[in-house]
Amino acid sequence: MPRFTTSDGLSLYYEDQGTGRPVLCLAGLTRNARDFDFVAPHLGDLRLLRLDYRGRGQSDHDPEFMNYSILREAQDVIELLDHLGLERVTILGTSRGGLIAMALAAGHGDMLQGVVLNDIGPEVTPIGLERIMDYVGKPPNAPTLDEAAQALKAVSEAQFPGVPLTRWRAQAGAMFEEQSGGGLALRYDPKLRDALIGQAGVGEAPDLWLLFDALKEVPLAVIRGKNSDLLSAETVERMAERHPGLIAATVPDRGHVPFLDEPEALKAIRDLLEVSQ
């Protein structure tokens, strides 16, 4: 099981599959390497790297929960690439992963061969943030993965119409784990919620447009779920104005976030790979 040790002593889990062009897959806020299981079969010609952030998946939890921050997680990415001996990668960043890519661009843009942002940008909607805070750090109410899948389907149907229960069952297994004594647990440190609350209360929020502008010299694509409640179509338009080479794709019948195996998402990824050779 591949792992590396960070400069502050945590053991982080990662996956390294394939031998082609290296693409680093960075997951959503509460998610892990399994976030990319749906798209991986379509990218078999690439070297797919997946990282479980600190406190997520199979990586160590951090006793200092305020280290669950974009800047510290970006530093972990730098240390992973150093561990692997890689000077440049393309990043496929879902939500939190896209924010980490923007943070890397601000200080380490030379390591980015290209970036795909999955349903994230330099501006997010308040309603989307409220929805996220409504569930982060709270254990699932469902007692089994099958029931969790049914709950995911019910709550997601408006944004993800027609997605079969089998897909939600796979998603439930990626997000939760069954306990030996019964019930489900989160596949991440619940103190991630404390970190978000604590960081929101410290100083003024950074201007993410400044981080986005650091991507001007980097080939860039953005994938947006048409029904997304986090990334608006207007924000994508502004992104295109500030990054004239932006590849923008909208995935129908998807909210936050697309699974990435949709035809529109796959085309955006391939177009980005082509222009960033």
Side-chain angles (χ1 to χ4, degrees):
M1 187 167 63
R3 309 185 73 90
F4 77 102
T5 302
T6 64
S7 56
D8 59 350
L10 293 188
S11 175
L12 302 189
Y13 171 82
Y14 69 94
E15 296 179 5
D16 186 349
Q17 179 181 12
T19 58
R21 172 176 169 174
V23 175
L24 176 60
C25 302
L26 299 178
L29 174 68
T30 63
R31 300 190 183 186
N32 52 61
R34 304 281 64 77
D35 227 8
F36 301 93
D37 283 353
F38 303 124
V39 70
H42 301 274
L43 304 177
D45 57 323
L46 303 171
R47 180 183 178 184
L48 286 189
L49 308 168
R50 313 190 213 183
L51 172 66
D52 280 359
Y53 308 134
R54 57 181 59 211
R56 281 76 140 196
Q58 299 183 63
S59 289
D60 284 355
H61 290 192
D62 195 321
E64 300 292 337
F65 63 79
M66 288 296 281
N67 285 334
Y68 297 140
S69 70
I70 289 171
L71 291 181
R72 178 62 247 195
E73 289 158 14
Q75 179 61 34
D76 291 341
V77 168
I78 293 170
E79 293 176 10
L80 169 63
L81 297 183
D82 182 63
H83 171 76
L84 295 172
L86 292 172
E87 295 182 355
R88 299 185 78 207
V89 294
T90 297
I91 289 182
L92 177 54
T94 289
S95 198
R96 176 78 155 206
L99 296 177
I100 291 171
M102 284 190 271
L104 288 169
H108 300 273
D110 57 337
M111 73 191 326
L112 302 177
Q113 189 172 357
V115 171
V116 179
L117 302 174
N118 183 21
D119 213 65
I120 192 65
E123 198 168 300
V124 295
T125 68
I127 190 172
L129 289 177
E130 290 174 8
R131 179 181 58 79
I132 290 170
M133 287 307 298
D134 191 51
Y135 71 78
V136 172
K138 299 178 181 179
N141 291 324
T144 68
L145 289 175
D146 286 340
E147 289 173 270
Q150 292 172 350
L152 283 174
K153 181 174 175 59
V155 76
S156 305
E157 186 64 27
Q159 288 189 337
F160 293 81
V163 173
L165 184 59
T166 52
R167 173 61 60 100
W168 293 119
R169 178 58 176 77
Q171 188 67 51
M175 296 168 62
F176 313 123
E177 59 182 340
E178 294 180 326
Q179 300 296 283
S180 57
L184 302 179
L186 301 171
R187 290 191 183 272
Y188 63 92
D189 186 349
K191 289 187 177 180
L192 178 59
R193 179 181 184 84
D194 299 320
L196 295 176
I197 293 172
Q199 291 156 14
V202 179
E204 187 175 345
D207 184 353
L208 296 180
W209 285 104
L210 295 178
L211 297 183
F212 178 77
D213 287 342
L215 287 167
K216 279 187 176 179
E217 303 303 319
V218 179
L220 182 65
V222 59
I223 298 165
R224 176 180 179 269
K226 186 174 182 179
N227 301 331
S228 176
D229 64 354
L230 194 77
L231 177 64
S232 70
E234 292 75 18
T235 296
V236 173
E237 289 176 4
R238 290 181 62 194
M239 291 165 68
E241 291 170 358
R242 295 172 78 141
H243 195 301
L246 180 72
I247 297 167
T250 300
V251 184
D253 296 332
R254 294 291 184 267
H256 183 78
V257 290
F259 296 109
L260 293 178
D261 61 346
E262 303 89 352
E264 298 83 2
L266 290 172
K267 183 178 186 305
I269 294 169
R270 287 297 178 186
D271 288 349
L272 184 281
L273 291 170
E274 183 174 345
V275 302
S276 58
Q277 293 287 353

